[in-house]
Amino acid sequence: GHGISRILYAISKRNSNIKSHNNFSSFISSTLTVGFGGSVGLEAPIVLTGSSIGSNLGRIMRMNYKTTTILIGCGAAGAIAGIFKAPIAAVVFSLEVLMLDLTMWSIIPLLISAVTGATVSYFLLGKGVIFSFQLTEPFILRNIPWFILLGIFTGMVSYYFTRININIESLFQKLKSPVTKLATGGIILGILILFLPPLYGEGYEILSAILRGNAQEITHGSMFYNYQNYFWVFVGFLGLIIIFKVIAMSVTTGSGGVGGIFAPTLFTGGITGYLVARLINNFSFINVSERNFALVGMAGLMAGVMHAPLTAIFLIAEIT
């Protein structure tokens, strides 16, 4: 299942109680899912793990509902901060997505947890982050209309992303046998990855290649490799990735895989932003930064899919 939706369900329906097995089961099963090619992300299960630890600490110490909910938010904030080394985005995520109260009662514990998570991550993993990106091309005011166009396009992709995800998962729910679900999902996902290798796993290597300016690398291992220098063929390839990434993600979770929409959202948003920039730059009198558009596309899709515009803004700002 999805990590974040399970947290929200626990807060709203289960008195902020999350089962103790989620302290370890989520990240183990999500690692296996992604390792075997599942087209989902590891972030949401790790956030669920952190929230589960907070929930179970609250239950062990006999805390009330309000305090336990804050501990859940602290676990989520620490996890996000540790993954991306982005403590401000982690705090905003807990406030915006988990809908905690914007008070000193919640802000201070969230800040402590987020900064601690980022510090421990720095200590154990060094300064490297998932996306280490230095801005070399400035944001130019005259390009604002094109960014607005990108925002409209990412909004439309967000709608497609959400509807397809809901519909495909509802179809898998009609299959009663877990073996049938697993076999069906595995076959469909295998076929998709065979024709579109970038759909394998989280896709962060593909995003990193785009942000480095080496977008042609994403055709490696695919039937489109020999046509990467043909503009419209390459644009069509990017369009297919956007369309089928959502399907691959939904098939993975619908058939029993454990993962979240965090990474697929960033991946699809980055591809979307890059695709829009390539189409705009096809006109000789316009020139926009393809790498900057990829970053803004990541933020746009996260805002549209997760309804978390502030988290998207601060996350992209911190990782750059």
Side-chain angles (χ1 to χ4, degrees), residues 193-198 217-225 237:
I193 293 174
L194 176 66
F195 289 100
L196 297 169
E217 290 183 10
I218 70 176
T219 60
H220 288 184
S222 73
M223 64 180 65
F224 294 88
Y225 179 74
F237 178 66

Side-chain angles (χ1 to χ4, degrees), residues 3-81:
I4 295 172
S5 59
R6 193 174 297 179
I7 298 170
L8 293 172
Y9 182 80
I11 292 173
S12 62
K13 299 291 186 181
R14 294 179 51 85
N15 203 32
S16 288
N17 289 326
I18 301 175
K19 293 181 179 180
S20 57
H21 70 78
N22 288 299
N23 292 351
F24 56 87
S25 62
S26 297
F27 70 82
I28 293 176
S29 52
S30 63
T31 300
L32 293 172
T33 300
V34 175
F36 280 103
S39 195
V40 288
L42 294 170
E43 293 78 15
I46 297 173
V47 171
L48 175 59
T49 299
S51 296
S52 175
I53 293 171
S55 173
N56 284 280
L57 280 175
R59 188 161 61 246
I60 291 170
M61 297 180 179
R62 302 182 184 278
M63 299 292 185
N64 59 28
Y65 168 76
K66 186 175 182 179
T67 307
T68 304
T69 303
I70 294 296
L71 288 172
I72 287 177
C74 288
I80 292 289

